[in-house]
Amino acid sequence: QVQLVESGGGLVQAGGSLRLSCAAARMITSVFWQYDMAWYRQAPERQRELVATIRSDRSTDYSDSVKGRFTISKDNSRKTVYLQMNNLKPEDSAVYYCSFYTSSSGPYWGRGTQVTVSS
């Protein structure tokens, strides 16, 4: 069973930066690149929101709310996907989750990492 482990969350002031990481355990390195990967977030009493996606071909998409501030990337050799978050705003505060999937496998979810942005 694939296991995803997020890290890098924390408390930061508005305008600051954080980099989230999501490492895939129990996944063969040679198949990691085949997965599409995404970051979601969920704030209290709100629905889970898709933030950014990176596909197997490295093409990316972002929600309008983070476009120009967040960057998703991946390192196939480390089996890790990243979310660089700059110019953070209080409304970015949420639990951030990573997800890996293909057309025939997953989605697999991490347990989440808390991001809190103070004003």
Side-chain angles (χ1 to χ4, degrees):
Q1 179 70 16
V2 173
Q3 184 178 16
L4 305 182
V5 181
E6 299 103 333
S7 61
L11 174 63
V12 64
Q13 288 187 331
S17 298
L18 285 173
R19 188 176 81 155
L20 305 183
S21 300
C22 175
R26 304 176 186 173
M27 178 180 286
I28 299 173
T29 303
S30 61
V31 303
F32 175 86
W33 70 269
Q34 299 177 23
Y35 281 79
D36 295 339
M37 302 160 195
W39 285 96
Y40 288 75
R41 66 186 180 187
Q42 188 167 20
E45 302 183 357
R46 300 192 68 175
Q47 288 188 333
R48 191 168 293 190
E49 172 192 14
L50 175 62
V51 174
T53 302
I54 184 165
R55 300 177 190 83
S56 57
D57 64 0
R58 296 185 180 272
S59 60
T60 58
D61 283 316
Y62 299 91
S63 67
D64 288 342
S65 61
V66 306
K67 198 171 295 183
R69 300 188 297 123
F70 290 11
T71 302
I72 188 170
S73 62
K74 63 174 179 173
D75 185 331
N76 289 338
S77 65
R78 295 180 181 271
K79 298 184 293 181
T80 300
V81 62
Y82 304 97
L83 186 67
Q84 177 67 42
M85 306 186 295
N86 298 328
N87 190 22
L88 283 160
K89 304 176 181 180
E91 53 263 43
D92 294 319
S93 297
V95 178
Y96 283 71
Y97 300 90
C98 64
S99 177
F100 288 16
Y101 52 95
T102 68
S103 60
S104 59
S105 183
Y108 303 104
W109 292 93
R111 299 181 71 175
T113 184
Q114 176 71 49
V115 171
T116 303
V117 185
S118 63
S119 56

